[in-house]
Amino acid sequence: MEYAIKEVPSASLKQKNLENLKFGEMFTDRMFVMEYSPKNGWHNAKIEAFHNFSFSPATMVFHYGQEIFEGMKAFAYKDGKVAMFRPMENLIRLNSSAERLCMPKIDADFVFKALCELVKLERGWVPAKKETSLYIRPAMIGTDPIIKVRSSDNFLFYMILSPVGPYFSSGSKLSKIQVEDNYVRASKGGMGFAKTGGNYAASIKAGMEAAKKGYDQVLWLDAEERKFAEEVGSMNIFFVIKDTLVTPALNGTILPGVTRKSVIELAKHLKIKVEERKVAITEVIEGLQNGSVSEVFGTGTACVVSPVGTLGYKGSNFAVGNGEIGKYSSILYDYLTGIQYGQKDDLFSWMTVL
Ligand SMILES: *Cc1c(COP(=O)(O)O)cnc(C)c1O
């Protein structure tokens, strides 16, 4: 399969302003698009000008949410090169989400090649300042203009690019997280492991109620018993318990984060003990009180490693550590971002340098 590259006339290129970047509000000049039909499979692949789509109001994705997406990043190196962090992991995960939502798989090698080309064409949009990057958003939607409940036959896959600043721009770096013991995000047999819009739609209400009480995000518990920690909004969660990194084991309801996997691999390399297992929320709360839990942090593409300063549970707040960023959070953040920005050796061959 081939993709076409449609020229974007220089007169229609956008004005670039890469100062004071927010998250996900600005998009580059070009995008990748391809279509799927049962007869032709994936076809009509092209890199072309970023543009709006036009769809019937009956289009399936608008009604039944047959949608999946990914999120990864490209970074500017000091020497002018641009590099992507583990993009193949994301394309493979996209196919796992596709399988769950009865959507067609993409040819990951083909899409990888097209993505490299797209990012190369848009290298002028990769911001160079500290903590900035080019966020890459692949997405797939069901496009049949029919409101019967069934799987769509036709699909659209696209990738858009957005220069971004740090995910949490608000001054304090330590976040305040509410342990959610009423609403649930995903249950066994559901689609918690898939990166799909429906999981986010289901989580908005809890997030808004927590925000009203002054929390930044919620920590989800398991759907059956509301006993075990699962993950945070758009991040996986880690606890440092007596110098061991402990994170909930992947069980089908948790999103298998690429950052989570990378932190585990990195920690093992650094001879830090790691356990993937069930983590009872009472173990965490008691550990915060008796000092055996010294750090809590989230991991995700957008925030990398995000330290938690406070956990709210059943109406009480529990401080994590001493109000400063913990030892393991800083070591892992510095190491991982060092690799991502090309300042540390890429020991694990995680970077795709363009
Ligand atoms: C994307 C996402 C994560 C983090 O995954 P990364 O691959 O590390 O970015 C965690 N939880 C949810 C629900 C997500 O959608």
Side-chain angles (χ1 to χ4, degrees):
M1 191 169 159
E2 293 292 316
Y3 56 86
I5 301 180
K6 297 233 167 124
E7 191 145 351
V8 181
S10 54
S12 55
L13 295 178
K14 296 173 190 168
Q15 198 82 21
K16 283 192 195 77
N17 180 358
L18 302 180
E19 299 298 313
N20 304 317
L21 290 169
K22 304 251 173 45
F23 192 90
E25 295 183 10
M26 185 199 297
F27 299 94
T28 70
D29 291 303
R30 295 172 181 83
M31 65 198 289
F32 173 85
V33 188
M34 66 178 177
E35 295 164 45
Y36 180 91
S37 68
K39 183 159 159 267
N40 298 320
W42 287 112
H43 64 285
N44 204 11
K46 51 192 186 253
I47 291 173
E48 59 187 345
F50 184 98
H51 63 279
N52 292 346
F53 296 133
S54 172
F55 291 115
S56 160
T59 302
M60 280 195 168
V61 64
F62 299 148
H63 302 268
Y64 310 122
Q66 202 175 14
E67 185 267 359
I68 55 174
F69 67 97
E70 270 303 328
M72 60 260 220
K73 279 177 173 175
F75 302 88
Y77 281 10
K78 286 245 159 60
D79 64 7
K81 286 190 184 127
V82 168
M84 289 188 279
F85 182 69
R86 309 191 82 173
M88 224 27 187
E89 294 285 333
N90 294 85
L91 298 179
I92 291 166
R93 186 171 68 191
L94 183 88
N95 276 340
S96 143
S97 301
E99 211 276 324
R100 178 64 182 81
L101 279 102
C102 303
M103 302 173 87
K105 290 196 175 157
I106 53 156
D107 174 343
D109 292 315
F110 170 74
V111 170
F112 172 76
K113 260 198 289 173
L115 176 60
C116 291
E117 182 82 45
L118 177 63
V119 173
K120 265 197 236 170
L121 286 166
E122 300 292 64
R123 66 187 309 147
W125 283 96
V126 187
K129 276 203 183 137
K130 203 165 172 271
E131 294 185 75
T132 65
S133 56
L134 185 73
Y135 186 80
I136 300 163
R137 168 53 57 87
M140 193 193 298
I141 56 175
T143 54
D144 288 8
I146 298 170
I147 53 172
K148 187 172 157 63
V149 179
R150 58 160 172 79
S151 173
S152 190
D153 288 329
N154 297 279
F155 296 88
L156 191 70
F157 172 80
Y158 57 92
M159 296 189 279
I160 54 177
L161 311 176
S162 175
V164 298
Y167 196 63
F168 301 111
S169 49
S170 64
S172 161
K173 285 220 159 175
L174 291 164
S175 62
K176 203 174 157 185
I177 287 189
Q178 160 98 78
V179 179
E180 179 57 61
D181 60 357
N182 177 30
Y183 300 111
V184 294
R185 173 182 171 273
S187 54
K188 294 244 157 63
M191 52 185 193
F193 66 88
K195 221 168 166 71
T196 175
N199 287 333
Y200 279 77
S203 71
I204 291 171
K205 195 164 185 353
M208 283 181 63
E209 289 183 11
K212 263 194 222 144
K213 295 184 204 147
Y215 296 95
D216 302 304
Q217 300 217 47
V218 303
L219 170 62
W220 299 106
L221 300 178
D222 73 286
E224 283 94 50
E225 300 180 85
R226 315 279 201 281
K227 253 191 192 165
F228 298 100
E230 298 236 305
E231 64 172 306
V232 179
S234 56
M235 304 188 290
N236 294 108
I237 190 87
F238 284 78
F239 307 95
V240 178
I241 309 181
K242 295 186 187 144
D243 287 306
T244 297
L245 292 191
V246 181
T247 192
L250 300 178
N251 58 358
T253 59
I254 296 171
L255 200 288
V258 177
T259 320
R260 174 188 182 279
K261 180 176 174 177
S262 306
V263 161
I264 292 172
E265 289 169 19
L266 192 53
K268 287 184 175 160
H269 169 76
L270 297 172
K271 305 268 188 299
I272 300 169
K273 271 193 273 169
V274 184
E275 287 175 10
E276 295 177 70
R277 61 166 169 88
K278 280 189 158 189
V279 188
I281 192 63
T282 49
E283 176 186 358
V284 174
I285 298 297
E286 282 163 24
L288 289 174
Q289 290 172 301
N290 68 26
S292 59
V293 172
S294 54
E295 293 177 44
V296 179
F297 61 86
T299 64
T301 295
C303 63
V304 194
V305 170
S306 170
V308 177
T310 307
L311 275 189
Y313 183 55
K314 294 202 186 289
S316 303
N317 280 328
F318 299 89
V320 181
N322 57 4
E324 313 229 315
I325 296 176
K327 179 174 96 179
Y328 293 97
S329 309
S330 350
I331 292 174
L332 293 163
Y333 177 84
D334 290 345
Y335 217 108
L336 202 53
T337 53
I339 293 174
Q340 290 178 331
Y341 287 92
Q343 291 148 353
K344 272 200 156 57
D345 280 346
D346 181 14
L347 292 174
F348 310 91
S349 301
W350 283 342
M351 305 308 293
T352 299
V353 183
L354 301 174

